[in-house]
Amino acid sequence: MEKFLTSRQRLINAIEKKRTDRVPVSTYELCARNSYSFENNEPSYSGLMAFIKENTDAVTMWDLGSNGRFVNSSYSPDVKIDYGDEGNYHVQHLALNANGRILTQTLKWSDNVKTTWNVEHICKNTNDVDALMNLPYEPVTYNASDYARISAETGDGGIIMSSVSDPAGTAIDFMEFGDATVWALTEPNHFQSVLDELHRRNMINMKNMLETQTVDLYRICGAEYVTPPYLPPSCFEKFEYPYLCDIVGLLHKYGAKARIHCHGKIRHVLDMIIATGADAIDPCEAPPDGDITLSEIKEKTAGKLCIFGNLQLKLLECGSTDEVREYVKNCMLSAKEGGGYVIMPTAAPIDIPLSPKTEANYRTFINTALEFGRY
């Protein structure tokens, strides 16, 4: 094997559980090789992003353009959208006419936090869900005109990753989270019928997407909604596992890799995640945020799944330099052996401006990972 691999080779080897020269280092949603991402256009992030680009292995997050609208469909319903300001927040009010039933949603965001809060979900009950699902289904089409740019920017410095949602991830987001879990537990047949239809649409749309442009890796989102303590493992087996198997199988058919994204407590569903045939898992949170240590995950997944994780963002934002360095060293002790490991934070900062403490801790994390990650 070459003494030094490119970042692209290093990441592919890790995902395929093959030998590599060192543990790949990913900064997750801090995409140093995507000039359109907010952190590359925010001055307070510029120093850190230059350091990341020079010293890490990019998993560049990028999604194809599409004409997707609501419920995995390109159908354009009658929608009224109003914008305004409430205090320090910008607000979007949406009203959707679903065959005479008016469904409303409210989103909020601020200038100093790069995220959007869904403060009023579009469905308040299952009658709203039925109205939304009764909108016509029209397959989604995709536009890969931006692929040449993102491919050139990533180059040998990493791989490209897109995101897809499984049906539970879509359905549960229709409602406030607590209401959605009650729906799944108390009306399981209705819940599953919605999942079945969303999955049918999703598989058609994904085929269209993959035929337009296939990228290296796909992050499948939604599994964390169907894990303890929110829902029991029996619900994961019924509402998550079979759909994940289909999604992973379709991705593999087109030559892509699949990474299952699942925050939280995965101990009692990990065997099912492995059985999907996926190539990787993230972010593998340790207790108290999760319920299984990195060493235990490594033991259960060795040779089966590549582990992406499990450095908590809160440690990078709030911990001391010594705490970050010690944690990264322990990650290497827990998961480095035998390959199949990419060290990565569980999330990325979204504050504007970037905290100097966070930047310093990111630099410590990266330098320590490079120091102790070589095989």
Side-chain angles (χ1 to χ4, degrees):
M1 184 172 60
E2 303 97 329
K3 184 177 181 181
F4 296 106
L5 300 176
T6 67
S7 287
R8 178 174 179 79
Q9 292 168 326
R10 186 175 297 119
L11 282 161
I12 290 173
N13 279 8
I15 293 168
E16 294 181 348
K17 283 75 71 180
K18 296 177 181 176
R19 291 184 59 206
T20 187
D21 54 348
R22 64 165 173 80
V23 172
V25 182
S26 168
T27 49
Y28 200 11
E29 293 157 316
L30 289 184
C31 298
R33 293 181 178 271
N34 184 352
S35 61
Y36 289 3
S37 62
F38 97 87
E39 56 270 13
N40 289 313
N41 295 281
E42 163 53 42
S44 66
Y45 281 71
S46 61
L48 177 59
M49 297 314 296
F51 185 79
I52 287 172
K53 187 173 183 179
E54 181 68 24
N55 293 285
T56 70
D57 307 291
V59 181
T60 303
M61 297 180 68
W62 175 83
D63 293 311
L64 279 74
S66 82
N67 64 349
R69 297 282 285 157
F70 298 92
V71 290
N72 295 353
S73 174
S74 63
Y75 174 76
S76 185
D78 178 14
V79 174
K80 180 182 178 181
I81 299 178
D82 295 314
Y83 295 94
D85 292 315
E86 295 179 5
N88 295 324
Y89 294 97
H90 307 295
V91 182
Q92 173 190 289
H93 295 290
L94 177 148
L96 184 156
N97 187 337
N99 300 315
R101 189 179 185 90
I102 305 301
L103 308 179
T104 58
Q105 179 187 54
T106 303
L107 306 177
K108 286 188 176 183
W109 64 97
S110 66
D111 293 328
N112 63 339
V113 181
K114 195 64 178 180
T115 195
T116 301
W117 290 277
N118 189 348
V119 298
E120 179 198 2
H121 288 72
I122 197 162
C123 295
K124 316 305 187 286
N125 52 54
T126 56
N127 289 331
D128 288 347
V129 172
D130 290 339
L132 193 62
M133 292 299 299
N134 283 332
L135 292 171
Y137 168 62
E138 295 178 1
V140 176
T141 59
Y142 296 84
N143 183 337
S145 59
D146 188 47
Y147 179 74
R149 175 195 68 85
I150 201 68
S151 181
E153 291 185 4
T154 302
D156 286 335
I159 60 175
I160 299 172
M161 180 177 76
S162 293
S163 297
V164 296
S165 179
D166 62 43
T170 301
I172 288 180
D173 201 41
F174 289 164
M175 291 188 190
E176 185 276 327
F177 186 72
D179 292 339
T181 55
V182 171
W183 170 31
L185 285 168
T186 61
E187 300 183 59
N189 292 336
H190 181 268
F191 185 69
Q192 186 158 30
S193 70
V194 171
L195 298 188
D196 286 344
E197 175 59 18
L198 289 171
H199 184 59
R200 183 187 74 83
R201 300 177 182 187
N202 194 31
M203 294 297 282
I204 295 170
N205 295 340
M206 282 184 59
K207 186 173 183 291
N208 291 343
M209 177 187 70
L210 293 163
E211 289 183 347
T212 302
Q213 180 64 61
T214 300
V215 301
D216 303 299
L217 179 65
Y218 289 83
R219 179 183 66 161
I220 307 171
C221 301
E224 63 201 49
Y225 293 165
V226 198
T227 56
Y230 314 120
L231 292 169
S234 59
C235 284
F236 193 97
E237 183 176 13
K238 184 176 183 180
F239 300 143
E240 190 68 25
Y241 173 71
Y243 306 114
L244 285 177
C245 290
D246 285 350
I247 293 169
V248 170
L250 185 62
L251 292 172
H252 285 172
K253 180 180 177 180
Y254 282 84
K257 304 296 185 185
R259 189 177 99 189
I260 294 177
H261 174 73
C262 191
H263 283 277
K265 302 184 186 302
I266 64 171
R267 175 183 291 276
H268 298 295
V269 301
L270 183 55
D271 286 341
M272 284 184 275
I273 290 174
I274 294 170
T276 64
D279 303 281
I281 184 174
D282 82 280
C284 305
E285 294 174 298
D289 304 279
D291 63 350
I292 186 169
T293 67
L294 186 56
S295 295
E296 290 175 301
I297 295 174
K298 180 68 176 185
E299 182 179 356
K300 289 181 71 70
T301 63
K304 302 172 185 175
L305 283 175
C306 175
I307 300 169
F308 282 72
N310 70 350
L311 182 61
Q312 283 288 350
L313 175 62
K314 64 185 176 183
L315 177 62
L316 293 171
E317 291 184 324
C318 304
S320 69
T321 297
D322 288 344
E323 287 172 331
V324 171
R325 181 174 171 82
E326 189 64 23
Y327 195 92
V328 171
K329 287 169 62 178
N330 286 335
C331 284
M332 293 302 180
L333 288 172
S334 298
K336 170 185 170 182
E337 185 177 353
Y341 177 55
V342 180
I343 191 166
M344 183 189 81
T346 57
I350 53 176
D351 292 346
I352 301 173
L354 178 66
S355 159
K357 181 183 184 70
T358 301
E359 177 171 354
N361 280 339
Y362 260 87
R363 290 174 182 267
T364 297
F365 143 52
I366 293 165
N367 285 330
T368 307
L370 295 174
E371 180 183 352
F372 290 95
R374 191 158 296 281
Y375 289 103

